[in-house]
Amino acid sequence: DGVAARLGDEAFWAGLARLAEFGIAGDGLVAFMSDGVAARLDNRDFMDGLSSLCADLSPPVVIGLLKYNDAFASRLTAEYARSILSITRHLDSHGLDGAKRLKSLLGISPLVGKVPELEALLLSADSRDAIEGVLQRFRGSYAHKRAMAATL
């Protein structure tokens, strides 16, 4: 399902054309493309989620969120995108760089599978200090993030 395996697949090329429509092309496409993305280019829910993210966050920000993160790409749906957008907007509204802070929070960890739970936690924090407190609980190593994901 990786990039090389899909080169002869018309659906893969149609998916690449859609990425260009979203503003993901050139160097951005190189940074964005992974086996996880390649495997999902013909998945309507993935493309709907990606379209939503690109429209709201901008293609460069979306590339930053998804690059080198097959676990994120494998989960991206329209519903998952709504949660991502909800979190980033909330963080932005409190003077935090939402996408950057979310990328740092999730990393390449099991927390990518806990986005709805993280959304509920973060949205319940109604001040910058409260949000920082929630984010602080999840900072640390992969092992720490795995343990924290297990508690959600």
Side-chain angles (χ1 to χ4, degrees):
D1 288 334
V3 176
R6 304 250 3 238
L7 291 176
D9 183 352
E10 286 183 36
F12 173 78
W13 293 102
L16 284 179
R18 289 234 23 231
L19 292 180
E21 292 170 15
F22 300 156
I24 300 173
D27 291 343
L29 176 62
V30 172
F32 178 74
M33 186 54 64
S34 67
D35 289 343
V37 170
R40 301 204 60 215
L41 283 178
D42 56 352
N43 180 288
R44 179 183 305 269
D45 207 22
F46 171 78
M47 293 302 261
D48 288 348
L50 185 59
S51 173
S52 176
L53 289 178
C54 287
D56 202 281
L57 296 176
S58 85
V61 171
V62 174
I63 290 166
L65 280 171
L66 273 97
K67 74 178 178 181
Y68 312 122
N69 199 334
D70 281 342
F72 190 114
S74 71
R75 287 172 173 79
L76 184 58
T77 63
E79 184 176 336
Y80 192 87
R82 280 189 291 277
S83 290
I84 295 297
L85 292 171
S86 176
I87 292 169
T88 57
R89 287 180 192 130
H90 185 66
L91 296 176
D92 287 342
S93 75
H94 287 88
L96 302 166
D97 184 340
K100 183 178 178 182
R101 297 300 292 271
L102 182 61
K103 172 82 172 179
S104 177
L105 169 68
L106 299 176
I108 302 174
S109 77
L111 290 174
V112 297
K114 300 294 184 170
V115 166
E117 293 87 345
L118 290 167
E119 177 186 15
L121 275 173
L122 289 164
L123 269 57
S124 70
D126 59 359
S127 70
R128 184 182 176 117
D129 288 342
I131 293 169
E132 289 285 6
V134 171
L135 294 172
Q136 182 63 36
R137 291 177 24 209
F138 293 92
R139 285 194 184 107
S141 67
Y142 178 89
H144 174 72
K145 289 183 179 196
R146 182 180 56 230
M148 292 300 292
T151 67
L152 294 176

